[in-house]
Amino acid sequence: VLAYRLSHKLYEKNMHFAARMVSQGARFLTGIEIHPAATIGRRFFIDHGTGVVIGETARIGNNVRLYQGVTLGALSTRAGHNAYTGRRHPKVGNNVTIYANATILGGNTYVGDGCVIGAGAVVTRDIPANSFAAGNPCRVIREITEEEYNAMSDAERALYEIKVMGSPVKIQIAYADAPRADRRHRARHPDRHE
């Protein structure tokens, strides 16, 4: 993260080559690739960072935690693909946790404040604030109210994430089996799904 901060300052001063040299040196040493033009807020934390990729126009808020293999990438290789914002990479709000191997793609994609994204999720649409989401394609598991979220201490939030998200492996298995379980449920209760 320190190398990113240095490369970002160089990039802002139009020293693009030097900025890329610093960022590529850091990538070689750590396995974490952060483009110097990306904007990252305070108290940013990457746990077991190998394979983390953060694209050029990505915007990351404060108090964000990423785990290994997370990608904040583009849906297109064309510069200015998004006609409205000119961004190709997603925006992540404040107080967000993104678990291992999650992929968040596209300049129109926004992950709201206080969200938790499960392991292996593929996000291509907005996730509302204070939500727990997982799966491929990513689905919101549960939204919590702003009052509930604000009332939680940091320790309570961490315990709640574990309680709701469980093991990332369990979440992936549950979602891999979801279509079959959904068909069985609809067959047993046709009156609820008209």
Side-chain angles (χ1 to χ4, degrees), residues 4 13 24 32 91 147 158:
Y4 156 75
K13 293 180 181 180
Q24 290 302 307
I32 300 170
K91 182 176 179 185
E147 292 80 26

Side-chain angles (χ1 to χ4, degrees), residues 106-147:
N108 286 333
T109 307
Y110 176 69
V111 177
D113 295 347
C115 286
V116 176
I117 306 298
V122 178
V123 181
T124 56
R125 288 186 236 154
D126 290 352
I127 303 296
N130 304 318
S131 297
F132 295 95
N136 180 7
C138 192
R139 290 170 239 148
V140 174
I141 296 171
R142 180 179 190 280
E143 292 184 44
I144 59 173
T145 65
E146 192 170 341
E147 292 80 26

Side-chain angles (χ1 to χ4, degrees), residues 26-43:
R27 182 192 60 79
F28 178 76
L29 294 173
T30 64
I32 300 170
E33 184 168 352
I34 304 174
H35 194 283
T39 303
I40 298 176
R42 289 187 263 157
R43 294 177 300 278

